[in-house]
Amino acid sequence: MEKRYADKAGKAGNIEKYAAAAALAQVETGAADMRKKDAVVLGTVTVNNPTATSADIDRKVPHVILSSCLDISRWTVTDVNTQKPAAMPKNRLVRYVIKATIEKWPAGWRVIRDEPQGKSC
């Protein structure tokens, strides 16, 4: 995700290897919105304390729900023309709980849904 958001052309990152369905659409839409605003997001994202909250591995397409702390505090929205950081709201959550649903596909595990929970961690 961080590579896709950092690329002005919106092609980097091979996101299709890691995400599908709603999660893939969410990343693609977010990256496209950034490009329309002449912005990229630079820096790193960290996922901390992933915990399986639910698992159903006996079904035809096994899936697991994970709860994690997503840390975007080192991720900076940057204007592609000036290379300067964009102003962000002071109350913006930079460490927050996210729930991800992942499924085991023939080519490996894919995130199919990624849902911020609106609370800090």
Side-chain angles (χ1 to χ4, degrees), residues 33-99:
D33 288 346
M34 297 304 288
R35 287 193 308 276
K36 287 178 189 172
K37 296 174 184 174
D38 286 330
V40 292
V41 186
L42 304 176
T44 58
V45 174
T46 306
V47 178
N48 297 306
N49 304 320
T51 303
T53 60
S54 172
D56 188 352
I57 57 173
D58 294 326
R59 53 187 280 206
K60 185 175 180 179
V61 179
H63 82 261
V64 175
I65 297 176
L66 300 173
S67 178
S68 305
C69 180
L70 190 67
D71 183 346
I72 61 169
S73 62
R74 293 182 305 240
W75 220 17
T76 305
V77 177
T78 305
D79 184 294
V80 296
N81 299 311
T82 66
Q83 294 300 306
K84 295 192 187 275
M88 299 303 291
K90 292 186 188 275
N91 63 345
R92 176 177 166 234
L93 282 177
V94 294
R95 289 180 189 89
Y96 55 90
V97 177
I98 192 156
K99 182 172 81 170

Side-chain angles (χ1 to χ4, degrees), residues 17-34:
K17 287 177 61 176
Y18 308 102
L24 178 59
Q26 183 178 355
V27 170
E28 296 292 16
T29 300
D33 288 346
M34 297 304 288

